[in-house]
Amino acid sequence: MNDLILHHYDGSPFAEKARLMLGFKGLAWRSVKVPSIMPKPDVVALTGGYRRTPFAQVGADVYCDTALIARLLEQRAPAPTLFPADAPLAPPFAQWADFTLFWTVIPYTMQPAGLAHRFAGAPPEVMKAFAADRAPFTAGMTRQTPADATANLRAQLAALEAQLARGPGFLFGKAPSIADFAVAHCLWFVHSGGPVAAILAPYTALNAWFSRMQAFGPGRAAPPGPPPGRGRPPAAPAPWAAPPPGTPPTRGPSPPRPPATRPARWPRAWASRPARPSRSRPPTTAATRWPARWSG
């Protein structure tokens, strides 16, 4: 089975990046929703320990990280390309957006006003569980304060605005590249933050570009369903398979057997063969038993 399956959840920014790339490529894909926080026993068992979202699956092959997913999509649908030959800086720019821009957007968007909007109506335990789940991602990393993140994000947005104001439509030319999708999912997360999204209002060229990116949509997603191998009716047991434990013994009518015939003990050719004559030997005497020179 070569179906493309995306394991994701709705609120994941990197999942939005993958969905937009699928829409740009016009690829059909199946959707499998995964939990947003641990425990994720099915995810960990399938990926061999990788717990982040999203990841793609084709048959028994699993592709973790959106940078690898982008290469997979490029292989399945080379056109339109995510890696234009005239934009060699697009891949390293995407790495900058996936790390530096992303880790500026997160502390800015998750400040108290953004948290209140994102978890509106949820009990406090849900917010605490989410914070505890994401804590390992920033272990050993200097996390920006909301004030620092606000100042840094304004500087980054101004640079993106200047780049797009000069260009013909996208960051590196007339067509989008992997860099555009890496920036788009960061701004998508800011847009979903309620009152904190007001920081984007002054940037006219950036907002027009974001609308063009959103127009690609998520591609042709199949209705959500059970993961492969789950929720399917059990296959019919093989005729040689043992019955399940606890199955009462059942004995149907035995098929009729052909009448038993006793084969002849010996082949017919042997039965008609005449008996062999017995080999009689002459009586043995001492003279015939021993040589003459030994008898005297």
Side-chain angles (χ1 to χ4, degrees), residues 63-103:
Y63 301 83
C64 303
D65 191 84
T66 54
L68 185 58
I69 293 174
R71 296 292 180 179
L72 169 67
L73 302 185
E74 189 76 4
Q75 182 182 17
R76 292 176 72 94
T81 181
L82 290 166
F83 305 94
D86 58 351
L89 285 177
F93 191 93
Q95 293 179 0
W96 170 84
D98 282 340
F99 186 81
T100 303
L101 179 60
F102 177 77
W103 285 112

Side-chain angles (χ1 to χ4, degrees), residues 4 7 16 33 38 48 63 105 135 154 160 199 212 226 237 290:
L4 178 61
H7 300 252
E16 176 65 10
K33 296 297 181 65
M38 296 291 276
Y63 301 83
V105 161
R154 283 201 177 103
L160 293 169
I199 195 174
R212 289 192 294 273
W290 307 106

Side-chain angles (χ1 to χ4, degrees), residues 118-142:
R118 194 169 298 277
F119 292 96
E125 292 76 12
V126 173
M127 190 182 302
K128 292 180 181 178
F130 186 85
D133 182 80
R134 294 302 192 267
F137 292 170
T138 56
M141 196 172 81
T142 302

Side-chain angles (χ1 to χ4, degrees), residues 106-170:
I106 291 300
Y108 170 78
T109 308
M110 303 301 278
Q111 58 182 294
L115 282 173
H117 174 80
R118 194 169 298 277
F119 292 96
E125 292 76 12
V126 173
M127 190 182 302
K128 292 180 181 178
F130 186 85
D133 182 80
R134 294 302 192 267
F137 292 170
T138 56
M141 196 172 81
T142 302
R143 189 181 175 98
Q144 301 181 57
T145 65
D148 291 339
T150 302
N152 290 332
L153 183 58
R154 283 201 177 103
Q156 293 162 354
L157 294 176
L160 293 169
E161 172 76 10
Q163 177 70 12
L164 290 166
R166 296 171 48 198
F170 295 94

Side-chain angles (χ1 to χ4, degrees), residues 185-225:
H185 78 90
C186 295
L187 300 192
W188 173 84
F189 196 67
V190 178
H191 272 284
S192 65
V196 299
I199 195 174
L200 299 171
Y203 305 102
T204 306
L206 186 61
N207 287 319
W209 165 88
F210 183 74
S211 297
R212 289 192 294 273
M213 294 298 297
Q214 289 293 294
F216 292 122
R220 295 174 287 151

Side-chain angles (χ1 to χ4, degrees), residues 239-251:
W240 59 84
T247 303
T250 57
R251 185 171 182 178

